[in-house]
Amino acid sequence: MNNKIIFFMGTRPEAIKMLPVAIHLRKKTKKKIIICSTGQHKELLDDVFSVFDIKPDIKFKLYNSDDTLNILLSKIYKSVSNLLNKLQPDLVLVHGDTANSMICSLAAFNKKIKIGHVEAGLRSFDNKSPWPEEVYRKLITNMSDFHFCPTKLNKKNLLKENISNKLIKITGNTVIDSIKYFLEISKKNIKFKKKYQSFIKSISFDSNEKNILVTIHRREKYGKNILLFCNQIKRVAKLNVNIFITLHHNPNIKIPLIKNLKNIKNINLIEPVKYDYFINLLNDSYLVISDSGGIQEEITILKTPLIVIRDKTERSESIRNNKSIMVGEDCKELFIQTKRLIASQAYYSKYLKIKKIYGSGNSSVKIANFLKDQKMI
């Protein structure tokens, strides 16, 4: 064995969910833990590394805004292949369902390097929704040696696909590890409190008011669906609320939002927020509206309801446990559900309870223990 483990991270969610595992493994093994940033979301990645106070050991500079997805994947594949040739790690760890994780897994698989898949077993059972993530996560499953599932349902999905029970571990979701870490800092760190208060003041976010936090970024929103969203959110803005929409860097999302919503008094268009601030915004908001998969997990341990603007979700646990409501890609039910949550305290209260659907914040420990049992660390 070459005593090396490589973590590949290319997007903000990957870093948020993988850094707690990398940090814990560095404490629990003598093997060299190498963090590689492939740079698919460069600015957003840098933000996450910063709030965790970690610098990646290896940082690729591959992303060009003019690149198609296939061109980007080819660049990542070539760079990752060269790195694996050079370092010869015992294990590669990837996360979730991103293009980055899929192509890094393929590079490792082709070199017969063992692969651990964090956040394995999620399924929507529709290859076109979410696209292309549903296919990517299934491809990663078929290449992986170890499968770390957030829930029993995820494990059940893998067993149906003939993945060996011995290679599956239910761990909870590592995002809970991150949230607990940052909420503790928020409570205890006076310096952070002052900075956070200064930040929310700068965007006119008053915690005593009914604030709605919105994130939107998925490919399914391109074109007519982003316009349908804008029309519905204009109606929501008339409900005596303050709306804060984080602007994703993707111009297919950002440009229509600015064009349609920039001059509405109580709609605030804000730049992407540092992750430690963002967790506190989630916690302090009256309601969250999002098409994010990660937020469906994060919201489970916060006293904030979530409206999911998607047709299908691979995280049905959040829906079934009354932590979120799904209204569809066309957003036709968005205004109706938002109005009901604001008008009915009884209905609103249904979605306030904290649910430990995705574990208690010790997923990194469970992953490390499993790898130790498998003699990988």
Side-chain angles (χ1 to χ4, degrees), residues 29 33 59-60 142-143 212 249 278 347-348 353 374:
T29 180
I33 305 299
K59 196 172 182 179
F60 295 153
N142 287 322
M143 293 185 282
I212 298 177
H249 288 312
F278 183 74
Y347 187 60
Y348 181 78
K353 291 182 180 178
Q374 297 294 321

Side-chain angles (χ1 to χ4, degrees), residues 61-80:
K61 295 180 180 178
L62 306 174
Y63 183 74
N64 185 312
S65 59
D66 295 328
D67 287 346
T68 65
L69 180 58
N70 284 345
I71 289 173
L72 176 61
L73 290 179
S74 67
K75 287 181 177 180
I76 295 173
Y77 185 85
K78 183 178 180 179
S79 295
V80 169

Side-chain angles (χ1 to χ4, degrees), residues 175-204:
V175 77
I176 307 301
D177 298 30
S178 291
I179 292 175
K180 288 189 74 173
Y181 172 75
F182 286 115
L183 288 180
E184 282 298 311
I185 289 176
S186 305
K187 291 177 185 176
K188 297 177 181 178
N189 191 311
I190 295 173
K191 187 177 180 180
F192 174 83
K193 285 182 179 179
K194 288 181 178 178
K195 286 184 176 180
Y196 176 67
Q197 289 302 317
S198 177
F199 164 71
I200 61 174
K201 185 177 180 181
S202 73
I203 62 171
S204 303

Side-chain angles (χ1 to χ4, degrees), residues 204-212 240-242 244 284-287:
S204 303
F205 185 101
D206 184 343
S207 300
N208 296 314
E209 296 182 0
K210 288 185 177 177
N211 299 308
I212 298 177
N240 193 29
V241 294
N242 292 316
F244 297 84
D284 293 341
S285 293
Y286 182 83
L287 171 67

Side-chain angles (χ1 to χ4, degrees), residues 302-315:
L302 304 175
K303 291 182 178 180
T304 313
L306 168 67
I307 293 179
V308 182
I309 41 178
R310 290 170 63 172
D311 287 331
K312 296 181 181 179
T313 179
E314 62 279 31
R315 295 167 173 88

Side-chain angles (χ1 to χ4, degrees), residues 117-121 145-152 154-155 158 163-173 362-363 365-371 373-374:
H117 185 197
V118 178
E119 199 177 276
D145 299 274
F146 310 115
H147 310 263
F148 302 108
C149 295
T151 69
K152 290 180 181 178
N154 305 147
K155 179 177 180 178
L158 293 182
I163 302 299
S164 170
N165 182 57
K166 294 179 181 179
L167 303 177
I168 304 171
K169 178 66 178 177
I170 298 173
T171 61
N173 197 297
N362 61 347
S363 299
V365 174
K366 291 181 178 180
I367 290 169
N369 289 342
F370 181 85
L371 290 175
D373 291 341
Q374 297 294 321

Side-chain angles (χ1 to χ4, degrees), residues 41-103:
H41 291 174
K42 182 184 179 299
E43 295 83 3
L44 298 178
L45 264 176
D46 290 345
D47 158 55
V48 178
F49 286 124
S50 173
V51 297
F52 273 97
D53 196 23
I54 280 183
K55 291 183 179 180
D57 302 288
I58 298 163
K59 196 172 182 179
F60 295 153
K61 295 180 180 178
L62 306 174
Y63 183 74
N64 185 312
S65 59
D66 295 328
D67 287 346
T68 65
L69 180 58
N70 284 345
I71 289 173
L72 176 61
L73 290 179
S74 67
K75 287 181 177 180
I76 295 173
Y77 185 85
K78 183 178 180 179
S79 295
V80 169
S81 294
N82 290 337
L83 182 66
L84 294 176
N85 282 337
K86 180 180 178 181
L87 298 182
Q88 295 291 312
D90 306 312
L91 176 68
V92 159
L93 284 164
V94 297
H95 179 274
D97 54 19
T98 65
N100 177 74
S101 291
M102 184 275 292
I103 206 70

